[in-house]
Amino acid sequence: MLHIVRHYKPDVVYLFITKSLWEGNERFEGHKNFDWENIIKFVHPEIQVKVEVFDIMDEHDFDSYKDIFHEKIEELKHQYNTDEILLNVTSGTPQMETTLCLEYITYPENKKCIQVASPARSSNANFDYSKYEDVEIDIEIVNEEETKHESRCKEIEIISFREAMLKGQLRSLIENYDYEAAYQLLVPNTSFKNRKQLMDKLRKYNTSIKNHQVIEEIDNKKLKYYSQKVLFHYWLLRIKEERNDLAEQLIRIKSVAEYILMSYFKRKYRDLLIEKGFNIKLNLNYKPEIIEQYKNVLASNGMLFQPNANIGLVSYKYLLEVLESESSIYNYTNDILKINELRNNVAHNLEELKIDKAVMDNIKNAMNALKELILIVFDDINEKDLTLIYDVNDKLEELL
C-alpha cells in the first residue's frame, strides 16, 4: 500500500481493515496500535487518510467481501465523481484480493488494478514485520531505500479473470440462442481467443435469422430447394421454442404448416391447386366429385364455399378430410389447428397470449405434429437434420 502511495501519490487513501485484524490477538499485534495517518503521510504528506473497520463474520469466505467492497467503491465513485480509483490487490487476504479483482473486471470504468511485487520479486513468506514501537525507525529506513529504486507497481488487466467471465457470459447467451447479444459482447474484447471465427459464425446466424437466409449448415446438406426452406424455418421455430418466445412461435407454426401442406398437395394431387402469385386457389375444374364433397364438408361445418378464396390451413384440413381422412397427415393437421384460434387472437386481434398448461400442451403438440409432417412430406430430411439447433450451438461451444 505504501509503495502505491509513494509512486501514484493519490489524494486519498482508504484502509479497509477487518475487526479481527484491527483488534489483534496473542499471535499478532492489532492494527489499532499503529498510527496509520502518520505512517502514510511520511511517504506522501499531502494525502488524506481514512480508516474503516468492518466486522466480517466469515473472513475466510470469498463472498463475505463482495457486497461490502462493491458498495464502498460505488460510494467513492459518486463522492469523487470522475477521479480514478486505484485498487490495491496485493496487501489484503486472498479473499479480499480476489474480490477486488472481480470488482475491477465487472466495473472497470475509472479504475486501475495495482499489483506490487515484493523487493525480492517473490512472495512475502517468512518476512519479519514491523512492531508498533519500531515503526517510525522502520518507515524512515524503508522510505530512504525505496526512493533509490524504480517502482514495483504493475497495472494489471487480469486477462485470465476477464476471459473466464467473458466465456461464461458468452456460453450463457449462446445456450439461450441470443446470438446478437453474444456478438455485441465480443466486439470490444479484441484479445479473446477464436474471436474472429466466433464473430463470423454469430454474424452469419444473426443475418440469417433477420433476413430468413438459409444457414450454411443447411446448404451443406445438399437438400432439395423446398426441403432447405422448411428445415431452416423449423430451426427458427425451435429457437423461438427454446427461448420461450411463445407468441412468435405460435404465429409462425401455421405459416410453416401451410407451406408443408402446399408442397404435399402439389406433389400428390397435382392439379387440385393453382398458384397465382403468392396465392393458392382451388382448381374448380378438378374432379367434380371431389369438389362437390369439399363443398359438402364446408357446409356441414357451417362454412360457405367461396370459389376464389385462398387455400389456408383450415381449407387443407377439409380437403384432407375428403381425400384421406384416415391418414396421419390429416391427424397431424388437426393437431396444428387446435392452436389456430389462439394464434389468430394474437396475430390479428393483437391480444395478449395468456399461458396455462393447456396452451403449453397445445403448442407443444403442434410443434411435434409439424415435425412429423416434415418427415412425411420431405423424404430427403431425416430425424437427425431436425436436431440442427443443437448442432449449431455445439460448433459455437467448440470455438469457446
Side-chain angles (χ1 to χ4, degrees):
M1 180 268 296
L2 290 177
H3 199 76
I4 294 173
V5 169
R6 180 179 293 109
H7 288 280
Y8 281 86
K9 296 186 174 8
D11 296 324
V12 186
V13 64
Y14 275 84
L15 300 185
F16 178 102
I17 302 176
T18 61
K19 187 177 179 181
S20 63
L21 193 60
W22 183 254
E23 297 294 338
N25 56 36
E26 66 278 0
R27 293 186 293 106
F28 64 88
E29 292 183 77
H31 277 36
K32 66 182 180 182
N33 295 320
F34 294 84
D35 187 347
W36 289 105
E37 184 168 2
N38 282 332
I39 291 171
I40 296 170
K41 285 193 170 186
F42 190 92
V43 175
H44 177 32
E46 292 80 26
I47 199 169
Q48 294 181 53
V49 179
K50 300 189 179 183
V51 178
E52 295 200 30
V53 179
F54 290 83
D55 190 3
I56 305 296
M57 293 295 294
D58 299 305
E59 295 180 20
H60 65 284
D61 190 343
F62 281 80
D63 291 332
S64 293
Y65 302 90
K66 177 172 65 70
D67 292 336
I68 296 173
F69 277 9
H70 178 68
E71 288 171 10
K72 187 61 192 177
I73 291 170
E74 284 295 298
E75 179 187 317
L76 294 175
K77 190 170 75 173
H78 287 101
Q79 183 178 349
Y80 295 100
N81 202 3
T82 58
D83 289 352
E84 192 169 56
I85 296 175
L86 307 178
L87 302 176
N88 173 13
V89 295
T90 302
S91 299
T93 65
Q95 291 87 342
M96 291 178 174
E97 293 167 9
T98 303
T99 304
L100 283 176
C101 287
L102 290 173
E103 181 72 19
Y104 169 68
I105 291 165
T106 311
Y107 309 100
E109 296 81 9
N110 293 333
K111 296 183 184 72
K112 282 183 180 176
C113 217
I114 312 297
Q115 186 179 46
V116 181
S118 71
R121 303 286 175 177
S122 63
S123 77
N124 287 324
N126 301 318
F127 273 59
D128 290 328
Y129 296 96
S130 293
K131 300 185 185 304
Y132 74 92
E133 62 267 19
D134 302 324
V135 73
E136 289 186 15
I137 298 171
D138 288 345
I139 191 67
E140 189 172 347
I141 294 170
V142 168
N143 198 50
E144 184 179 346
E145 281 297 314
E146 287 289 352
T147 52
K148 300 176 185 176
H149 300 287
E150 62 182 18
S151 171
R152 289 180 278 109
C153 297
K154 180 182 179 183
E155 296 174 14
I156 58 175
E157 293 296 323
I158 326 177
I159 293 172
S160 58
F161 276 60
R162 284 184 179 276
E163 285 198 347
M165 188 174 76
L166 179 59
K167 190 178 291 187
Q169 291 173 319
L170 287 168
R171 180 170 285 112
S172 178
L173 291 170
I174 289 169
E175 285 175 355
N176 287 281
Y177 308 96
D178 195 344
Y179 302 137
E180 177 66 31
Y183 177 85
Q184 293 301 332
L185 187 60
L186 272 171
V187 170
N189 289 284
T190 55
S191 62
F192 189 77
K193 185 181 178 183
N194 293 332
R195 176 178 179 267
K196 184 180 184 305
Q197 295 163 277
L198 196 53
M199 287 185 72
D200 285 346
K201 286 277 187 189
L202 291 168
R203 185 190 299 110
K204 288 176 182 177
Y205 295 143
N206 286 328
T207 301
S208 293
I209 290 169
K210 292 173 183 176
N211 301 343
H212 288 188
Q213 175 186 346
V214 172
I215 60 176
E216 184 180 16
E217 286 80 358
I218 293 176
D219 194 42
N220 290 341
K221 291 180 182 291
K222 306 300 181 186
L223 300 172
K224 297 171 188 173
Y225 174 71
Y226 294 110
S227 301
Q228 285 190 355
K229 289 172 69 174
V230 165
L231 184 55
F232 173 74
H233 282 275
Y234 181 77
W235 176 67
L236 290 180
L237 272 171
R238 287 287 290 112
I239 289 176
K240 300 293 183 187
E241 183 177 36
E242 289 291 333
R243 293 184 64 180
N244 288 314
D245 195 350
L246 297 178
E248 283 296 311
Q249 183 189 0
L250 184 67
I251 291 169
R252 296 177 64 86
I253 286 173
K254 181 183 178 184
S255 300
V256 179
E258 286 176 341
Y259 187 85
I260 295 168
L261 291 169
M262 179 196 71
S263 301
Y264 178 70
F265 272 83
K266 283 172 66 176
R267 188 180 69 210
K268 188 167 183 181
Y269 305 101
R270 187 176 297 272
D271 299 319
L272 178 56
L273 304 178
I274 299 172
E275 285 188 75
K276 292 187 176 181
F278 296 108
N279 299 318
I280 307 294
K281 308 283 187 182
L282 189 65
N283 181 5
L284 301 178
N285 296 319
Y286 193 70
K287 300 173 184 177
E289 67 277 13
I290 299 297
I291 301 299
E292 193 60 33
Q293 287 180 56
Y294 176 63
K295 291 179 182 179
N296 292 337
V297 168
L298 288 179
S300 66
N301 285 278
M303 299 179 68
L304 181 67
F305 175 68
Q306 297 176 303
N308 293 316
N310 289 326
I311 299 296
L313 190 59
V314 175
S315 302
Y316 284 124
K317 180 245 175 132
Y318 291 132
L319 285 170
L320 286 167
E321 190 171 323
V322 170
L323 297 165
E324 45 182 277
S325 61
E326 301 298 320
S327 71
S328 56
I329 286 190
Y330 174 71
N331 293 329
Y332 290 134
T333 303
N334 270 330
D335 286 341
I336 294 171
L337 267 169
K338 288 176 183 176
I339 64 169
N340 197 48
E341 183 179 352
L342 186 62
R343 183 259 184 202
N344 288 340
N345 274 336
V346 173
H348 302 306
N349 297 330
L350 305 183
E351 292 287 341
E352 173 191 354
L353 178 59
K354 295 179 180 177
I355 304 296
D356 58 26
K357 187 177 184 304
V359 168
M360 293 289 289
D361 287 345
N362 283 338
I363 294 175
K364 184 176 181 180
N365 291 337
M367 277 295 290
N368 183 65
L370 196 72
K371 173 184 172 183
E372 297 301 330
L373 281 177
I374 291 171
L375 293 173
I376 292 170
V377 175
F378 300 93
D379 55 8
D380 55 340
I381 295 178
N382 58 48
E383 189 100 25
K384 180 67 173 68
D385 293 327
L386 297 177
T387 64
L388 181 66
I389 187 171
Y390 304 121
D391 298 338
V392 165
N393 267 21
D394 286 346
K395 288 183 179 179
L396 293 173
E397 280 281 346
E398 287 175 14
L399 288 173
L400 283 179

